[in-house]
Structure formats: structure tokens, C-alpha cells
Amino acid sequence: EKEILLKEIHHRVKNNMQIISSLLNMQIDTINEPVANMALIDAAGRIHSIASIHEKIYQSNNFSRVDMADYIQSLSNDLVSIYSEKGKAIKIHHQLETVFLEIGQAIPCGLLINEILTNSIKHGCTGSNECLIDIILQDFDGMVTLVMGDNGPGMHPGLFQTEKKTSMGMQIINALIQQIGAMVDLQTEKGTRFSIRFSKKN
């Protein structure tokens, strides 16, 4: 009975978040102001990333952990369809080990992946007809390594390193990194590349 209840809870949370996302998408269709429109698209994307976590749990036989490799595959496909522009090819190369995270880590980690990947798709390949993005996920002795990089012109390191981050996306990334207790290395010489390491909770 507890398993049935947990499954139903995750299913309902996923459905409710999809309703919120649908309402935002309806609002997007009525707004012609580009900045406001993109802010709503980003918000809908963040809600979708959380809903996807609950969907993966609902579909699995384990209601306390998430297969992050499977999640990354699904999320990246969804984000490409949301943000891709005509005339720009987006290719994502996945190198993913099977890594399971408990839900308390999976949700902030999923949001972190959403923010960095969205940033790469929107800004990482400006002026290029082909956008190449690498996503690497590894687990060695309880330490998870997540590497996400693109072939763009490279983000200005000051956007992430300054104490007063002006970009909302960078503020969210920094908060999520702190939430999962991760160490981060940012390289901006040949594109933007985040290397993130954190200890996996059992």
C-alpha cells in the first residue's frame, strides 16, 4: 500500500507540474515581448526538469532514487526541441555511466543540468551553424563527476566568479552547486566547460 501511495504521489506531482508548465506555455503564446517571452520559456523549462524527475521515479520500481543517465538523455532531447532554432543543428554527445541519486540530490542536480545545458543551447554557439555539446557523467567510489561543455565562444568567467552574479541563470547554478555540496571548475578558453564533482548520498 505504501508503494502504491508513493507511486501515486509522484504521478500527481508530475501531472500538477505539467499543468503549471502548460499554463505558462499558454501565456507565452499571448506575449509578443521577447524578454518576457524568454523568461517564461525558461521558467517552464525549469518546472519541466523537476516534473521529469518525478516521472522517472513514477516509471521505475524504486521510489527513492533516480537513474540520472536516463534522465539526462530525456531532458537533453526535450531542451533541444524547446530551444533549437531554424538553421542551427544541435548535437549532444553523451558519455553517461549509470548513476543513481536519491531524490534529495536528484532534483537540484537535475535543475543544475537544465540550467547549464539551456545556457549552452541558447548562448554557447552564437554565430555557429552547428552547436556541439558534450555531457559526461561518471561515478567513481561514491564521487560523481558531471562535465558539460560546448564549442561556443566561451562565457566570460566574471559572470560566474564575481560575488554579485548579475545573471539569474548564474545565480541559480551557484545556488544549486552549493546545495549539492559540489566542487566546480569552469573553463572558458575553447567554449564553456563546467566540471562538477560531488559526493553521492546513499
Side-chain angles (χ1 to χ4, degrees):
E1 288 180 356
K2 287 182 180 180
E3 288 183 357
I4 293 172
L5 180 60
L6 281 171
K7 189 170 185 177
E8 180 64 20
I9 287 171
H10 285 295
H11 184 55
R12 291 191 181 190
V13 169
K14 184 263 295 184
N15 285 346
N16 288 339
M17 288 190 168
Q18 285 186 334
I19 290 171
I20 296 170
S21 184
S22 296
L23 290 171
L24 286 174
N25 286 323
M26 290 172 65
Q27 189 71 56
I28 288 166
D29 292 336
T30 66
I31 295 177
N32 295 321
E33 208 287 314
V35 175
N37 199 287
M38 184 54 66
L40 287 173
I41 292 173
D42 289 345
R46 289 167 184 135
I47 292 168
H48 176 74
S49 72
I50 301 173
S52 296
I53 291 282
H54 290 280
E55 183 176 27
K56 293 300 178 187
I57 294 174
Y58 167 74
Q59 292 174 345
S60 72
N61 294 321
N62 190 311
F63 304 129
S64 62
R65 61 180 192 165
V66 179
D67 182 343
M68 296 304 294
D70 184 47
Y71 171 80
I72 290 171
Q73 288 273 7
S74 298
L75 181 65
S76 57
N77 290 336
D78 291 341
L79 290 178
V80 167
S81 66
I82 291 171
Y83 290 101
S84 60
E85 300 175 1
K86 291 182 179 179
K88 178 178 287 188
I90 300 173
K91 294 184 179 179
I92 300 181
H93 176 251
H94 297 98
Q95 186 178 333
L96 308 174
E97 294 182 4
T98 300
V99 176
F100 288 96
L101 295 181
E102 53 90 23
I103 189 169
Q105 275 189 312
I107 289 177
C109 186
L111 280 168
L112 180 61
I113 293 165
N114 177 81
E115 290 299 321
I116 296 174
L117 185 54
T118 297
N119 203 56
S120 287
I121 294 172
K122 288 168 58 179
H123 308 296
C125 302
T126 303
S128 173
N129 291 325
E130 185 175 61
C131 179
L132 304 177
I133 300 172
D134 292 321
I135 306 178
I136 301 169
L137 181 68
Q138 298 173 328
D139 179 6
F140 181 74
D141 199 23
M143 285 296 295
V144 177
T145 299
L146 173 66
V147 180
M148 303 180 69
D150 61 58
N151 66 333
M155 180 183 74
H156 192 287
L159 289 175
F160 184 74
Q161 293 171 354
T162 180
E163 290 183 3
K164 293 184 178 179
K165 298 174 176 60
T166 56
S167 163
M168 181 178 177
M170 290 301 106
Q171 292 177 27
I172 292 173
I173 289 172
N174 185 62
L176 292 167
I177 285 172
Q178 293 183 18
Q179 188 172 343
I180 62 176
M183 298 174 288
V184 60
D185 177 60
L186 175 62
Q187 298 177 357
T188 58
E189 293 179 0
K190 296 181 179 180
T192 300
R193 191 176 186 87
F194 282 88
S195 298
I196 299 162
R197 296 182 73 243
F198 60 93
S199 179
K200 182 173 66 175
K201 294 180 180 178
N202 297 320

